[in-house]
Amino acid sequence: MKSYVAVDLGGTNLRAARYTPDGELLTHIKHPTLAKDSNESVLDRVVHLVQEVLPANDGAQDEVEAIAIGAPGPSNPFTGVVYNAPNLPGWVNLPLREIMQSRFNLPVELGNDANLAALAEWKFGAGRGHNDLVYLTISTGIGGGVISSGRLVVGANGLAAEMGHVVVAPDGPVCGCGQRGHLEAMASGPAIGRTARARLRGGAASSILELVDGHIKAVTAQHVGQAAKDGDPFALELLNEAGTFIGRAVADFMHIFNPSIVILGGGVAINVGELLLQPVRAAIRDRAMSDIYYINCPVTTVQLGDDVGLLGALALALETHPV
Ligand SMILES: [Zn+2]
């Protein structure tokens, strides 16, 4: 039987699975990443992970069409080099494809995790049936992926669709990338937590303080989400502000890509759902040049869960090595 191996390299968990060309799951495995270990040991674990999901070594391995890997952080799908994986120390300019290809003697494809999540939602999730899709993940960082005219947009070096690194507040705080006022610096989980802590220190009243026993420095976006769901006005205002920044950026993306669906994922968006989506939609209505951009373009949340990275890798494998 033909099959594909999908690998998802997360900062917390390493996952691998083998699927049939129809997307039927044959085998699945998950191990902690233990990212603080040396570069070699994480790489060793990735190799072992793939070994574990390959068919029993009786020659049947020949039936695997390809291995596709979703890597955290920017990578080059043409050269197979991971430029930099912020959650995997030492993974800088790592020739991952070459390493895996020589180890397994199988074709290896590489993709950025946010791009692959967009691919997964397009093929298997909320974006099925659409040809033009914008996907944003609101999490520790803000990443994204774009399907345009039925193709994943990767750019010349695989660095396209870094949607979190657009300027939404020119005088805003410095982003993790070193530039100022990027969407990621204004509306990611850490950004929401940082703003919450600053205002609580300034004397703002909120039920968040009860959630952390008064320890303001312990406040995270998760507490903000929890309090917002309980109707806390301070927390709702924080989500409103974050959603407004996201919506303004999405209006710009709509002007560039004219999508027929916008899909938001990542821990922050999944946790609070409509509490974030409503201000996103309001800001889009406010900023779009024409209502044609949003009238028939739903702004919705992801449908896929923890296996989104694996399904994205599968989608990449199916696209690049069709049977
Ligand atoms: Zn940035």
Side-chain angles (χ1 to χ4, degrees):
M1 193 183 7
K2 304 277 188 192
S3 62
Y4 295 93
V5 171
V7 183
D8 177 24
L9 307 180
T12 309
N13 287 304
L14 305 174
R15 297 167 206 265
R18 197 156 53 84
Y19 295 93
T20 68
D22 297 329
E24 188 195 331
L25 182 66
L26 296 171
T27 175
H28 176 279
I29 196 156
K30 179 175 101 174
H31 289 311
T33 305
L34 307 174
K36 292 212 167 60
D37 288 14
S38 73
N39 167 21
E40 285 75 16
S41 59
V42 173
L43 198 54
D44 283 348
R45 274 197 294 281
V46 174
V47 168
H48 287 139
L49 200 72
V50 171
Q51 273 165 344
E52 284 181 83
V53 298
L54 285 173
N57 200 4
D58 56 3
Q61 186 170 328
D62 294 343
E63 296 182 6
V64 173
E65 291 289 315
I67 300 170
I69 304 173
S75 59
N76 188 323
F78 307 108
T79 62
V81 171
V82 176
Y83 291 123
N84 178 22
N87 292 320
L88 301 176
W91 282 42
V92 177
N93 294 325
L94 183 77
L96 187 60
R97 172 191 283 160
E98 205 177 296
I99 292 167
M100 298 298 277
Q101 251 168 7
S102 63
R103 180 67 186 74
F104 293 104
N105 200 25
L106 284 167
V108 174
E109 301 296 334
L110 183 65
N112 155 279
D113 54 357
N115 280 348
L116 293 194
L119 208 51
E121 287 292 333
W122 177 41
K123 293 289 183 186
F124 305 112
R128 268 173 298 176
H130 290 266
N131 275 326
D132 297 275
L133 173 163
V134 165
Y135 164 84
L136 273 183
T137 169
I138 319 292
S139 179
T140 310
I142 295 184
V146 174
I147 309 296
S148 184
S149 301
R151 289 193 67 139
L152 179 70
V153 174
V154 293
N157 304 298
L159 298 178
E162 285 291 348
M163 337 270 292
H165 304 277
V166 293
V167 177
V168 293
D171 302 319
V174 175
C175 183
C177 73
Q179 299 294 334
R180 192 172 283 282
H182 281 175
L183 180 61
E184 179 170 300
M186 304 304 292
S188 63
I192 293 169
R194 185 195 63 229
T195 307
R197 291 191 298 274
R199 291 185 193 171
L200 290 168
R201 281 194 195 99
S206 168
S207 62
I208 291 174
L209 291 169
E210 292 156 34
L211 298 175
V212 293
D213 290 329
H215 298 298
I216 291 176
K217 72 173 181 204
V219 170
T220 66
Q222 209 150 2
H223 299 118
V224 175
Q226 198 178 333
K229 283 190 258 185
D230 293 337
D232 181 72
F234 171 83
L236 287 166
E237 177 55 25
L238 287 169
L239 293 185
N240 189 46
E241 289 174 19
T244 300
F245 281 119
I246 295 165
R248 288 174 186 167
V250 170
D252 290 347
F253 303 148
M254 284 177 158
H255 295 153
I256 300 167
F257 298 109
N258 187 198
S260 58
I261 188 168
V262 174
I263 303 170
L264 299 193
V268 175
I270 292 167
N271 181 29
V272 298
E274 282 298 312
L275 297 176
L276 188 71
L277 290 193
Q278 283 167 10
V280 169
R281 293 190 196 105
I284 292 168
R285 286 194 297 272
D286 198 36
R287 293 295 174 112
M289 287 195 295
S290 155
D291 57 7
I292 298 169
Y293 283 103
Y294 59 80
I295 279 179
N296 293 313
C297 178
V299 177
T300 186
T301 45
V302 290
Q303 282 182 0
L304 305 174
D306 285 346
D307 283 346
V308 62
L310 289 174
L311 290 169
L314 171 63
L316 176 66
L318 284 166
E319 287 232 319
T320 47
H321 300 274
V323 285

